[in-house]
């Protein structure tokens, strides 16, 4: 019996993972993320209720469940066809239908258990089902998808669920429904609905908090889901030791209120176990939050009267209401308006209210007063607590000063001034999305490149706003009449106001939401892929820098199926421009991503700006008229010169390869096989080899444009060679295979071979400045460690000149000056460092400067 429940749980969770991912492609990730889990739970509860009302038992009951499973999943497949109307309604209905069979199984199993062990509660059965779901999340939702693709994982999940029904006839031949009606009371119904809403909300909030502590990769999010199921299973088992009295229910609901507060105060416990890995952190965060909720249904089931399966079906019917309310009330409503802490305060109050009402009905007035007081106090404590993201490792970093913070239903968004790096940065959860440092210059090219390549760029879409740097670049082109920004997060849109210098004030006057066409810039707050699908033949240019390609949702903006959607959104002659980060991708992922792009466009090309790859796709090869630059206004032309794009030939020199002969990957990337987002990422020095290895692979396909200038292209080829050498030098330095001086010499060698006239080129100057800064600081720190202050000072002064806003460089300069006996100058450099980063002494870089001999008082430390 319990083995069958385990199989059913595993299969059901595998189906949920596969269908939720597919639903996001049809209705948008915002719809699938906000309402999808609730729709699935509602379908599960509906299946359990239907099975309770079925007038058959034994083989017929199992056969009907298997039929519901097959039919529901077949209907889900039909409903999720991409080109039908009413996408949101179809997504929700499909997710509910594919879950009916798994709910049906549980009621049938409860009947069989009652026939074989009449005094056994359903806690152990629920626990077996939830533990199976936990294993299904890891084995099917993660491992099977990573190894074989989501389509095969779905089929395997379906077979497991059907196999669980195959075991039921043997277990349940003698179990037919009794004529006795169950006596589930309306208040128990309300309790189940309320705790279902709480459970779905808390599981999702735990995932949001875990992103800040554990990470946002698929494996890490799946771990959180698995631990949540384990916590609910533990609560279901523990219910048998709580008794069946009315006060047991009250106590359990009060514990639910206390668990709702825990995510706001888990930071110290998380910090204690952080060094032990992801699993201990997930356990510390999730188990106290969700375990009490797992006990509610078994306690209420034990108090109800009637046949076990009928009682269970009538109780879980209430989960339909709670599940359907969770998305709009919590995800899209409370979190979007009052943030995570406000939502948790509401959940504390709700659990306390339910406990108080239950106690009043049981005439336990003291218990009712205590429950109401507990709920109120916990709600006030939650409302007075800081947002959990503000206590996360990223935002308590002493190098950062938080200038903006807001939570919406998608991200915790912060704008921080990083004193160590000397830049302002946009953080979405823990990810550095964009900033004003030199590493983000390519974002301007992401706007200029496709607009310059298009002969008449009238309408442009910018997918993913970030700091608005790309939008600002596009807005400088007067011939662009309409710019539509497709951004899923309203908090990101609000934060972009702090980067006005980068976005050129293009967001100062915008038409929000859908736009009425009266303004030049409109911001559409919606899923980008879904929005493009609704706008056929609309844009001359679509330029985009979404989330990393191997992120759980970002991957679906890099597949051939997405590029088909994007091509359909382009007007005749339109151009798509896509960012690819070679530093963040394993070589086989890099190959698969470029292959997915190359097969999607008649003309596909790769360009390089800094170390970042920009891809352009169109129907025809690019051709720019010679007079194009003479028609540009002075402000735009000056900006292009700063980027090294001041002439047509300079633009052509950034071209690296035409991709028609790009190599075939070992495994293709598809919507149904997004394998790059499902496999575990390696760590350590091996990651440093990705950038030079990927750039070498791209260079092997190098080609030239017909309108390029050979001599200028040779100069840029030398820059690319220098960047590859720099990348390999970083890799070999980490492994101890080379010293800093040798790595610097190798990186500079290609530039030294250039004629002197090319050494003033913007790209040549940029890479030389990067090399001199990087190795100047490394050499200076190494000389300080040897006690050679004068040699260290010479190297570090050059680094400080290259990066004057970095506090760590000024701290090392101060240490070198102090070691050289220049105490007053050291004090000035120390003051400069502390001005840039007031808590520098608490950072690893400040600690290093102190260890190298800098007096603590120069960094404001005692």
């Amino acid at each position: 019996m319990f083995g069958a429940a385990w199989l059913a749980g595993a299969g059901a969770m595998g189906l949920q993972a596969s269908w939720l991912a597919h639903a996001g492609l049809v209705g948008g990730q915002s719809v699938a993320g906000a309402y999808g889990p609730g729709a699935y739970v509602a379908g599960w509860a509906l299946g359990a209720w239907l099975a309770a009302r079925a007038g058959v038992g034994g083989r017929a009951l199992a056969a009907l469940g298997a039929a519901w499973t097959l039919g529901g999943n077949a209907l889900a497949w039909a409903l999720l066809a991409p080109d039908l109307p009413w996408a949101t309604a179809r997504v929700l209905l499909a997710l509910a239908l594919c879950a009916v069979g798994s709910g049906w199984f549980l009621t049938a199993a409860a009947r069989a258990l009652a026939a074989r062990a009449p005094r056994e509660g359903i806690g152990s059965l629920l626990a077996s089902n939830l533990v199976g779901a936990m294993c299904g999340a890891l084995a099917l939702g993660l491992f099977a998808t990573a190894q074989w693709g989501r389509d095969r994982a779905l089929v395997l999940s379906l077979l497991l669920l059907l196999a669980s029904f195959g075991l039921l006839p043997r277990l349940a031949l003698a179990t037919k429904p009794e004529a006795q009606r169950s006596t589930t009371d309306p208040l128990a119904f309300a309790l189940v609905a309320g705790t279902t809403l709480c459970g779905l909300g808390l599981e999702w909030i735990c995932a949001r908090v875990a992103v800040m502590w554990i990470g946002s990769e698929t494996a890490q999010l799946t771990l959180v889901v698995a631990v949540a199921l384990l916590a609910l299973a533990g609560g279901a088992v523990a219910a048998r030791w709580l008794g069946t009295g009315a006060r047991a229910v009250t106590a359990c609901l009060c514990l639910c209120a206390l668990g709702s507060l825990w995510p706001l105060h888990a930071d110290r416990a998380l910090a204690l176990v952080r060094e032990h890995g992801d699993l201990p952190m997930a356990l510390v965060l999730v188990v106290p939050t969700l375990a009490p909720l797992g006990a509610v249904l078994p306690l209420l089931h034990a108090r109800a009267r009637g046949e076990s399966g009928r009682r269970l079906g009538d109780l879980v019917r209430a989960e339909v209401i709670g599940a359907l309310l969770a998305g709009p009330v919590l995800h899209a409503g409370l979190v979007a308006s009052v943030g995570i802490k406000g939502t948790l305060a509401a959940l504390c109050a709700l659990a306390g209210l339910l406990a108080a009402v239950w106690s009043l009905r049981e005439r336990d007035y003291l218990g009712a007063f205590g429950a109401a007081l507990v709920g109120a106090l916990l709600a006030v404590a939650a409302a007075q607590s800081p947002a959990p993201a503000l206590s996360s490792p990223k935002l308590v970093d002493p190098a950062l000063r938080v200038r903006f913070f807001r939570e919406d239903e998608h991200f915790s968004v912060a704008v921080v001034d990083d004193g160590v790096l000397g830049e302002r940065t946009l953080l979405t959860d823990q990810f550095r999305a964009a900033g004003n440092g030199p590493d983000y210059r390519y974002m301007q090219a992401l706007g200029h490149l496709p607009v310059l390549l298009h002969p008449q760029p009238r309408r442009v879409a910018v997918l993913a706003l970030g700091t608005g740097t790309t939008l600002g670049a596009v807005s400088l082109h007067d011939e662009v009449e309409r710019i539509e920004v497709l951004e899923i997060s309203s908090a990101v849109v609000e934060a972009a106001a702090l980067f006005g210098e980068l976005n050129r004030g293009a967001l100062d006057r915008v038409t929000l939401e859908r736009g009425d066409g009266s303004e030049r810039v409109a911001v559409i707050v919606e899923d980008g892929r879904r929005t493009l699908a609704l706008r056929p033949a609309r844009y001359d240019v679509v330029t985009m820098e979404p989330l990393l390609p191997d992120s759980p949702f970002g991957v679906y903006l890099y597949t051939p199926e997405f590029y088909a959607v994007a091509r359909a959104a382009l007007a005749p002659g339109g151009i798509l421009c896509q960012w690819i980060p070679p530093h963040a991708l394993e070589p086989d992922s890099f190959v698969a991503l470029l292959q997915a792009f190359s097969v999607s466009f008649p003309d596909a090309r790769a360009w390089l700006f800094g170390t970042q790859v920009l891809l352009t796709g169109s129907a025809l090869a690019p051709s720019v008229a010679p007079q194009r630059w003479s028609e540009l206004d002075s402000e735009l032309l000056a900006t292009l010169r700063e980027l090294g794009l001041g002439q047509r030939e300079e633009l052509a020199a950034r071209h690296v390869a035409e991709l028609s002969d790009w190599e075939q990957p070992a495994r293709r990337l598809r919507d149904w096989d997004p394998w790059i987002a499902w496999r575990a990422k390696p760590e350590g020095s091996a990651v440093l080899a990705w950038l030079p290895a990927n750039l070498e692979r791209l260079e092997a396909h190098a080609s030239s444009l017909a309108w390029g200038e050979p001599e200028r292209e040779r100069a840029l080829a030398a820059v690319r060679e220098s960047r590859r050498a720099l990348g390999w030098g970083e890799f070999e330095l980490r492994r101890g295979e080379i010293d800093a001086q040798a790595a610097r010499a190798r990186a500079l060698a290609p530039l030294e071979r250039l004629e002197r006239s090319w050494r003033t080129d913007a790209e040549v100057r940029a890479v030389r400045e990067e090399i001199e800064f990087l190795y100047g600081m490394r050499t200076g720190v190494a000389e300080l460690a040897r006690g050679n202050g004068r040699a260290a000072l010479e190297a570090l002064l050059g680094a400080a000149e290259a990066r004057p806003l970095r506090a760590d460089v000024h701290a090392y300069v101060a240490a070198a000056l102090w070691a050289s006996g220049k105490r007053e100058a050291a004090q000035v450099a120390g003051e400069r460092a502390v001005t840039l980063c007031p808590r520098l002494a608490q950072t690893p870089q400040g600690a290093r400067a102190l260890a190298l001999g800098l007096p603590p008082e120069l960094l404001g430390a005692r």
Side-chain angles (χ1 to χ4, degrees), residues 52 258 280 478 500 544 657 846 857:
L258 185 60
D478 291 337
M544 52 188 294
E857 59 270 17

Side-chain angles (χ1 to χ4, degrees), residues 619-631:
L620 300 172
S623 178
V624 180
Q627 68 273 19
R628 182 68 183 273
W629 266 252
S630 63
E631 299 169 354

Side-chain angles (χ1 to χ4, degrees), residues 751-841:
L751 305 181
E752 298 297 339
R753 295 196 296 267
L754 290 174
E755 294 183 11
R756 186 171 298 275
S757 59
W758 291 109
R759 297 183 185 181
T760 58
D761 177 89
E763 192 75 10
V764 174
R765 284 188 286 108
V767 69
R768 182 182 288 275
E769 180 183 280
E770 182 178 347
I771 293 169
E772 295 293 1
F773 162 72
L774 185 62
Y775 291 115
M777 188 164 72
R778 287 204 171 146
T779 300
V781 171
E783 292 294 339
L784 265 177
R786 297 188 192 104
N788 192 346
R790 294 184 182 276
L793 183 60
E794 182 180 354
L796 288 168
L797 286 174
E801 184 178 355
R803 297 287 189 271
L805 298 180
R806 286 192 58 143
D808 56 345
V809 181
H810 290 287
Y812 296 138
V813 168
L817 287 166
W818 188 271
S820 303
K822 301 177 180 180
R823 304 301 168 87
E824 292 185 4
Q827 187 171 356
V828 171
E831 290 174 354
R832 173 64 173 160
V834 173
T835 299
L836 292 169
C837 183
R839 295 190 293 163
L840 181 60

